[in-house]
Amino acid sequence: MEQPRRRRWPVPPSLLVALAPMVVFAAISAWRSRPSDDYPTLGQTVDSVVRSLVLPEGIAAVALCLVVTGLGWWRIATIDATRTRLSWTWLAPALIVVICLVRLPLVDWSALPGHYFLLLGVGVLFVGSFEELMARGVLLVGLRRRLPEFGVWIVSCVLFGLLHLLNALAGAGLGATLVQVVFAASFGSTLYLARRLSGNLLLPVLLHAFWDFGSIALSATADVHDPAKLVLVGGVGLLSFGVLALGIVAGGVVAWRDDRPRRLRRRWRTVPPMGAYAVREDEPRLPAVTW
């Protein structure tokens, strides 16, 4: 009696596990958010940095580290066996560093106490560690079990961008939230690229934290009455979008290039041996045709 074939589960368990931290984080963030929240004031004061960054992101980072430890995924979630050899793609993360450095002189370091910037540094490190381990670590492990690398790149960037829709529940305007979704998805490509170039998750974590530090510190100390500084900030913002566009192109090229062996395997099937086409002696043969 023929054994019944087991139905193949359409979604591998590893992918469900990889999506779980993002779903749980989104659910908790939605539950904690209130329409009366003033999102634009996030990180503007010492109290806001502690309540909105250090404590929640620190707890989330520790919880995710425990999950990764339990799964035994630390190596595959944080280290790539091979690095990309496209050295020109280093330009995208390098320009992100340049933008972060250019923004530092625009920050008014005397506008807030010194411990504000120290706490902000701790907070953004928690943010970078948690979000990168979630989006460029655990999520990539699950996606790679089913998708080609180009699909992994697209899905991870899109999901990272969509995660920022939660800001609308925390008091951010809808238009500003949609811009941030596009911005985060684009930035996610550069962060993916940073992992593929360096071979580990440390560089994306540091890039993410450095970017957030400059953004929040500049927003908290910006002098709206100084036209010259506002023009400089706007120019840096426009340059940022150009750099992120480069990151999208570079990340896509790296992921597409990684899939080349996979595409070749699908294109060139194994040719059966010539013996499979040999005519047996006892088989009737067609008469020869003469012209």
Side-chain angles (χ1 to χ4, degrees):
M1 183 176 178
E2 185 179 354
Q3 294 290 335
R5 295 182 62 184
R6 295 180 59 186
R7 285 187 64 186
R8 185 182 181 187
W9 184 247
V11 182
S14 58
L15 180 55
L16 296 177
V17 172
L19 289 171
M22 188 169 286
V23 173
V24 172
F25 174 71
I28 294 176
S29 298
W31 173 72
R32 292 180 64 245
S33 300
R34 299 290 183 272
S36 58
D37 292 344
D38 190 5
Y39 180 81
T41 63
L42 174 68
Q44 304 290 297
T45 62
V46 173
D47 182 61
S48 176
V49 168
V50 173
R51 288 186 297 103
S52 302
L53 291 177
V54 177
L55 290 180
E57 296 292 340
I59 294 172
V62 171
L64 184 57
C65 287
L66 293 176
V67 170
V68 175
T69 301
L71 294 172
W73 282 12
W74 272 112
R75 183 170 184 81
I76 55 177
T78 59
I79 297 177
D80 279 336
T82 58
R83 304 180 187 183
T84 179
R85 297 181 180 180
L86 298 178
S87 57
W88 66 267
T89 59
W90 273 106
L91 186 61
L95 288 176
I96 289 293
V97 175
V98 170
I99 291 175
C100 292
L101 292 172
V102 168
R103 289 193 300 192
L104 292 181
L106 301 177
V107 176
D108 186 356
W109 299 94
S110 61
L112 291 166
H115 63 280
Y116 164 84
F117 297 103
L118 178 61
L119 289 170
L120 179 60
V122 174
V124 296
L125 277 175
F126 282 149
V127 172
S129 300
F130 169 67
E131 294 191 0
E132 291 310 303
L133 184 57
M134 176 177 63
R136 249 71 58 184
V138 175
L139 182 60
L140 256 65
V141 173
L143 293 176
R144 283 172 171 170
R145 299 294 176 90
R146 179 56 57 92
L147 298 178
E149 192 66 17
F150 192 75
V152 170
W153 167 71
I154 293 176
V155 174
S156 63
C157 292
V158 170
L159 289 180
F160 181 65
L162 292 177
L163 193 64
H164 291 74
L165 280 173
L166 295 169
N167 295 338
L169 301 178
L174 181 59
T177 300
L178 293 178
V179 171
Q180 192 170 22
V181 167
V182 175
F183 188 91
S186 304
F187 190 36
S189 179
T190 303
L191 295 171
Y192 164 87
L193 183 62
R195 169 175 174 141
R196 297 305 321 283
L197 286 166
S198 64
N200 60 70
L201 206 59
L202 179 60
L203 182 58
V205 168
L206 295 178
L207 277 180
H208 195 148
F210 197 10
W211 182 273
D212 285 352
F213 182 89
S215 298
I216 297 174
L218 189 58
S219 175
T221 63
D223 185 0
V224 296
H225 302 292
D226 188 347
K229 181 173 288 189
L230 291 179
V231 170
L232 288 175
V233 172
V236 172
L238 291 176
L239 178 61
S240 301
F241 278 99
V243 173
L244 293 179
L246 174 62
I248 294 175
V249 174
V253 169
V254 167
W256 182 260
R257 185 175 182 270
D258 284 350
D259 286 335
R260 186 173 183 271
R262 180 191 182 102
R263 292 193 300 273
L264 289 177
R265 285 196 303 270
R266 295 184 62 182
R267 183 180 304 172
W268 304 104
R269 304 291 185 181
T270 302
V271 179
M274 290 304 296
Y277 299 103
V279 179
R280 292 177 3 193
E281 292 297 330
D282 58 346
E283 288 183 353
R285 303 194 181 192
L286 296 175
V289 178
T290 59
W291 300 92

